[in-house]
Amino acid sequence: MGLNTFEADSPAGVVRRQYLASAAGDLAALRATLAPDVEWTEMAGFPLAGTYRTPEGVTSAVMERLDKDWSGWTAHDDTYLVDGENVVVLARYTATHRGTGKPLNVRVAHHFTVRGGRIVRFEQFVDTALVRDAAN
């Protein structure tokens, strides 16, 4: 990635701000990275599977529910692949399920589309069996 990859309004910079806001539990800052018509898709088989719209819809249906069910839910972003408005992030989820006490440590890939300084589309790819096993 180039020197300017993480400039604030670059696609990767917007995505990075989203991860930092999520890790800090700052839902207002996270919503600020999302377009009003965002489409946020959690993978089939994931506990929160589905497509959510609007910044408020995403944070209430995904982030707030993850916090309710999991202790310390964090997406650790480590590798960014950028192609124009497309940003693919290779990451890792870590957490402990509040009901079972089982830990989660699973690799994940996220595909973001960023336009006009906001995330307009998100799609998650994860080994849903590992998530399910930690939750049961």
Side-chain angles (χ1 to χ4, degrees):
M1 290 186 294
L3 185 60
N4 298 324
T5 298
F6 289 108
E7 285 184 4
D9 290 328
S10 71
V14 171
V15 169
R16 179 69 178 138
R17 284 199 331 266
Q18 179 274 148
Y19 281 105
L20 292 171
S22 179
D26 187 344
L27 297 185
L30 192 151
R31 284 190 292 270
T33 67
L34 304 177
D37 60 346
V38 66
E39 289 186 6
W40 187 280
T41 302
E42 299 287 326
M43 189 169 177
F46 190 71
L48 306 176
T51 298
Y52 305 95
R53 290 172 175 80
T54 78
E56 293 76 17
V58 169
T59 55
S60 67
V62 179
M63 289 71 182
E64 290 178 20
R65 286 179 55 197
L66 286 172
D67 187 53
K68 180 179 173 247
D69 295 337
W70 299 86
S71 174
W73 183 275
T74 305
H76 307 271
D77 54 323
D78 56 42
T79 303
Y80 283 67
L81 305 166
V82 181
D83 182 16
E85 64 186 13
N86 292 290
V87 180
V88 174
V89 179
L90 305 178
R92 178 174 302 281
Y93 290 152
T94 59
T96 301
H97 193 269
R98 293 186 192 277
T100 66
K102 293 179 184 175
L104 175 70
N105 186 338
V106 63
R107 293 293 289 163
V108 60
H110 293 153
H111 175 211
F112 296 87
T113 304
V114 180
R115 287 190 196 114
R118 298 273 178 97
I119 297 165
V120 297
R121 187 170 181 276
F122 165 87
E123 187 174 8
Q124 170 203 57
F125 301 90
V126 63
D127 184 341
T128 57
L130 291 178
V131 179
R132 182 188 63 237
D133 290 350
N136 293 310

